[in-house]
Amino acid sequence: MPGVALGCLVWQNPRAVSVVQAPWEPITAALDAGIGASWATGDEAYGQDPALRALLESRRTGYVLAVTRSTRVRINQGHTAVRADAVADHLPASAWHRQSAGAGAKGPRYYDWAWIEIDTDGHRHLLIRRNPHSGELAFYLCWSPRRVPLSELARVAGTRWRVEECFQATKGQVGLDHYQVRHWTAWHRHITLAMLALAFLAVLAADATPARTAQPNRHARGTDPIDLTVPEIRHLLGAFLVPPAMSPHSLLTWSNWRRLHQATARRCHYQRRLAEPSTG
């Protein structure tokens, strides 16, 4: 199912989409409806689809799409066809650069990244991500209508986690997975109500978040409680709708104490992650 995050179309779970329509149809519909998206990203099921890549290029929408390690690309200005994992095996140490793919609960998501041009105009790349601890590799085919730095491609690759986190929140907080799919209409109504409930909680959380200047590593320094989250707001609403034994003042005090404790844990995680040696 398509999702939108940070001006970037993100989608996954091809089984759910293919039941009703081809994977590129909801993307075309979203772009035709005027939804602005400068980038698209998706998992291997989408990255292996040349028709989808061609569609995005024709719509001038850049993409960072995961592909398998056996995907063949053309290097040396298109003269040599080689597997993606073979490219990674022959890269020198200087080709790898430590970049963050976005902020996580425990600090920036640092990976080692390398990229190599697979065309002659600098718009098409093979992007390789390496886990600095396990050495596990992931591969992406990338295209952009203009030249972009490596850090931008890494950022786009990391936006897929936003949708995965959204699915987890919808399952854990509003019961997206609490339905045995027996009929299409009933299932459609259930997921629509679940998404509406999550949207309501997300808007409340966004409204309660103070405006701040973008500071990716602020969690390593701040001493304030963490911002109100969707789970915390759901917990507080449940407590107010079904009055607990404690008073509202005690309930809010307890919530503030818990978020202070979570802020301390997050600060420690960020400080440790930022203290790790970086390369590139």
Side-chain angles (χ1 to χ4, degrees):
M1 294 179 182
V4 179
L6 300 179
C8 176
L9 284 172
V10 189
W11 65 97
Q12 55 188 39
N13 192 1
R15 296 184 184 88
V17 174
S18 60
V19 170
V20 185
Q21 53 196 167
W24 55 83
E25 291 183 7
I27 286 82
T28 300
L31 294 175
D32 288 342
I35 295 178
S38 54
W39 288 99
T41 184
D43 59 23
E44 293 177 1
Y46 297 101
Q48 298 297 121
D49 187 345
L52 177 58
R53 299 198 304 269
L55 168 69
L56 292 170
E57 292 181 24
S58 70
R59 302 297 293 262
R60 306 296 290 174
T61 300
Y63 59 75
V64 178
L65 298 173
V67 293
T68 63
R69 62 177 51 247
S70 61
T71 299
R72 299 185 71 83
V73 296
R74 304 194 71 86
I75 59 176
N76 298 330
Q77 295 185 337
H79 298 300
T80 306
V82 62
R83 282 172 54 117
D85 53 1
V87 174
D89 291 340
H90 292 86
L91 288 175
S94 59
W96 296 96
H97 304 274
R98 186 70 54 86
Q99 299 276 353
S100 172
K106 297 182 178 181
R109 292 185 172 108
Y110 282 123
Y111 291 93
D112 295 328
W113 302 84
W115 61 340
I116 183 170
E117 288 189 16
I118 53 177
D119 65 359
T120 58
D121 58 10
H123 294 264
R124 200 180 304 274
H125 292 85
L126 171 68
L127 177 67
I128 308 172
R129 187 192 75 196
R130 183 178 67 188
N131 188 302
H133 303 294
S134 67
E136 181 182 3
L137 298 176
F139 302 87
Y140 304 84
L141 289 181
C142 309
W143 179 86
S144 60
R146 56 182 177 80
R147 289 178 178 268
V148 295
L150 172 62
S151 58
E152 178 69 358
L153 297 182
R155 182 194 69 81
V156 174
T159 57
R160 261 186 56 214
W161 289 317
R162 295 293 187 97
V163 174
E164 293 172 1
E165 291 169 350
C166 181
F167 277 121
Q168 291 175 359
T170 313
K171 291 177 181 179
Q173 302 303 320
V174 294
L176 178 68
D177 56 347
H178 294 178
Y179 178 74
Q180 298 177 1
V181 182
R182 296 173 178 169
H183 191 276
W184 165 257
T185 301
W187 176 77
H188 190 271
R189 290 171 178 169
H190 175 79
I191 65 169
T192 300
L193 289 173
M195 290 189 294
L196 179 61
L198 183 66
F200 172 73
L201 294 173
V203 169
L204 289 180
D207 287 344
T209 301
R212 300 186 182 92
T213 304
Q215 297 179 12
N217 300 324
R218 69 178 179 83
H219 298 303
R221 300 182 295 272
T223 59
D224 295 330
I226 69 169
D227 297 332
L228 282 169
T229 62
V230 165
E232 185 69 13
I233 291 176
R234 173 182 171 272
H235 173 81
L236 291 172
L237 285 175
F240 281 118
L241 293 175
V242 181
M246 64 180 68
S247 66
H249 179 268
S250 299
L251 181 66
L252 293 175
T253 301
W254 179 54
S255 173
N256 190 65
W257 177 88
R258 183 169 60 250
R259 291 185 293 115
L260 276 170
H261 178 76
Q262 292 171 330
T264 300
R266 174 180 285 182
R267 184 165 61 253
C268 293
H269 284 305
Y270 264 73
Q271 289 172 346
R272 183 185 63 189
R273 187 69 58 85
L274 294 172
E276 293 178 356
S278 60
T279 59

